[in-house]
Amino acid sequence: MPIALLALAIGAFGIGTTEFVMMGVLPQTAADFGVSIPSAGYLITGYALGVVVGAPLLTALAVKLSRKTMLLAMMSLFTLGNTLFALSPNQEFGVAFRFLAGLPHGAFFGAGAVVASSLVKPGDRAKAVSMMFLGLTLANVVGVPLGTLLGQQVGWRATFGVVALIGLVAIAAIVKLIPHQGRPEQASLRGELSAFLRPQVWFALAIVTFGFGGVFASLSYVTPMLTDVAGYDPANVTLLLALAGVGMTIGNLLGGRLADKALMPSLYVALFALALVLGIFTITAHSKVGAAITIFAVGIAGFMIGPMMQTRIMQKAGGSPSLVSAAVQSAFNTANSIGAYLGGLVIAGGLGLVAPNVVGATLSVLGLSIAAVSGVLDRREQQQQPVPVPA
């Protein structure tokens, strides 16, 4: 794999850390701002809204920029947002700066996926995309636990100061390692938007929203599941979440390799495995050993889907991949919102702390069903293509 992918992975590591470490330092942030923990939760919401808004908006505004310039601009905005957040005087400014830090998230991954694919031969494109996302999954293994520990020992501002430094390292790596990227030929906003006229693009976004929503329905409530159901001490939860992060890393790398060999069959297997594992989690959540093994398996099955869908949607976008590639990140965050909301709904309805796993399994089956329909359309399109006549 090209060394240039390291620059993309560093950027992804910083983005993954800032997105998820907020959950680990939320009590310290709430205390510093003098607000309740539920109110401090708007810092998480603010970032997610930034991702949803920024992915299509910034990609559309920068459609004529070279992709290397786009990557540098997005990582600079990311670094600025995290620096300002570390200096926030109060909750209101904090939410605004978290929104700012979230804006470049999707646009960075959208441009990064296109760049990663362009650096390798066609048969290795999904693998290259998975190498970029490796930074995101490693953030859950290394960045989030260490960032949480730093926030607890030194203060949450130090955590986001370090995140801003990671952003500077990523900028330097992009400058040094990413080869010159000329402006996309015949790039236009109309051309990028035209990709959304393709039904398969919408099927791909729906697969991400519902299929991946199953992961978030479960993992959003995994801490109370581990403590109140499995019986773990709260002090051990960080290690268990790191175990889930290891599973995510393995799943991401495995998904990239399988997608290059047989994308749609691999996607069917991944979604089926995710539904199965989440269903099993309703039983194994009552056992310490069973719960640990299962959240590891959820990480593997769930994050196999990421590089598959990023590659799939770029294939279906034709010659205008940037905007739809960024839209995948909006779909992932929509999946986060839907999964977390439905998981909370069944808990509030008195169905118990393991009920979100049933929701997750159901969402994954829905994602699998949409993938099956998309696969049928693929076969019909292939059958309708004219057979070349020998000369």
Side-chain angles (χ1 to χ4, degrees):
M1 290 283 105
I3 188 66
L5 294 175
L6 177 62
L8 299 175
I10 293 171
F13 179 82
I15 289 173
T17 299
T18 203
E19 181 175 19
F20 297 114
V21 79
M22 191 71 251
M23 301 171 191
V25 299
L26 204 61
Q28 291 76 25
T29 312
D32 189 22
F33 285 155
V35 298
S36 67
I37 287 181
S39 293
Y42 287 120
L43 296 167
I44 297 173
T45 305
Y47 185 91
L49 285 174
V51 178
V52 173
V53 172
L57 179 63
L58 294 182
T59 302
L61 290 174
V63 70
K64 290 189 178 295
L65 292 179
S66 76
R67 293 194 176 105
K68 181 172 182 175
T69 302
M70 177 70 164
L71 291 171
L72 288 170
M74 294 305 100
M75 194 48 56
S76 297
L77 184 57
F78 166 85
T79 303
L80 175 63
N82 281 283
T83 301
L84 291 173
F85 177 60
L87 301 172
S88 298
N90 55 43
Q91 165 85 345
E92 290 74 20
F93 276 98
V95 172
F97 292 144
R98 281 287 286 173
F99 178 82
L100 179 66
L103 284 175
H105 177 128
F108 177 86
F109 279 116
V114 176
V115 170
S117 298
S118 71
L119 295 173
V120 296
K121 59 185 180 182
D124 288 333
R125 285 176 178 170
K127 190 189 301 182
V129 170
S130 74
M131 293 305 294
M132 176 183 68
F133 280 100
L134 179 63
L136 186 63
T137 56
L138 284 176
N140 288 283
V141 181
V142 179
V144 173
L146 291 181
T148 300
L149 183 62
L150 180 64
Q152 291 169 345
Q153 299 299 319
V154 181
W156 68 270
R157 296 179 189 274
T159 298
F160 289 94
V162 170
V163 170
L165 288 176
I166 294 172
L168 291 175
V169 173
I171 290 170
I174 291 169
V175 171
K176 181 70 175 177
L177 300 178
I178 299 292
H180 174 69
Q181 302 276 318
R183 291 185 180 184
E185 293 183 7
Q186 299 179 336
S188 69
L189 181 56
R190 178 179 293 181
E192 293 289 339
L193 289 173
S194 69
F196 289 95
L197 297 176
R198 300 167 183 257
Q200 287 285 30
V201 166
W202 288 103
F203 276 115
L205 293 174
I207 293 166
V208 172
T209 300
F210 295 105
F212 211 81
V215 176
F216 288 110
S218 176
L219 293 188
S220 294
Y221 303 96
V222 72
T223 296
M225 264 189 259
L226 292 172
T227 55
D228 297 0
V229 180
Y232 276 103
D233 188 281
N236 295 324
V237 170
T238 299
L239 291 175
L240 290 164
L241 294 179
L243 178 63
V246 173
M248 294 172 190
T249 302
I250 294 171
N252 172 65
L253 294 173
L254 183 60
R257 281 152 180 76
L258 290 175
D260 281 327
K261 297 182 182 298
L263 198 157
M264 290 305 289
S266 299
L267 179 62
Y268 300 148
V269 170
L271 287 166
F272 176 79
L274 179 60
L276 180 64
V277 170
L278 288 172
I280 291 172
F281 202 7
T282 60
I283 301 170
T284 58
H286 298 273
S287 159
K288 284 187 175 181
V289 174
I293 293 172
T294 310
I295 63 168
F296 176 71
V298 169
I300 293 176
F303 276 73
M304 285 172 62
I305 299 168
M308 293 178 183
M309 293 313 304
Q310 196 78 50
T311 303
R312 169 79 173 170
I313 202 163
M314 286 191 296
Q315 288 178 351
K316 296 304 176 183
S320 304
S322 296
L323 194 54
V324 293
S325 183
V328 172
Q329 299 305 313
S330 294
F332 275 122
N333 278 268
T334 303
N336 190 343
S337 301
I338 290 174
Y341 172 74
L342 293 177
L345 205 61
V346 294
I347 292 175
L351 298 179
L353 289 173
V354 299
N357 295 320
V358 178
V359 174
T362 304
L363 288 173
S364 299
V365 169
L366 179 56
L368 176 59
S369 302
I370 297 170
V373 173
S374 182
V376 169
L377 289 180
D378 271 350
R379 289 190 290 274
R380 286 183 180 175
E381 289 171 2
Q382 291 170 359
Q383 291 170 357
Q384 291 172 358
Q385 289 178 354
V387 179
V389 179

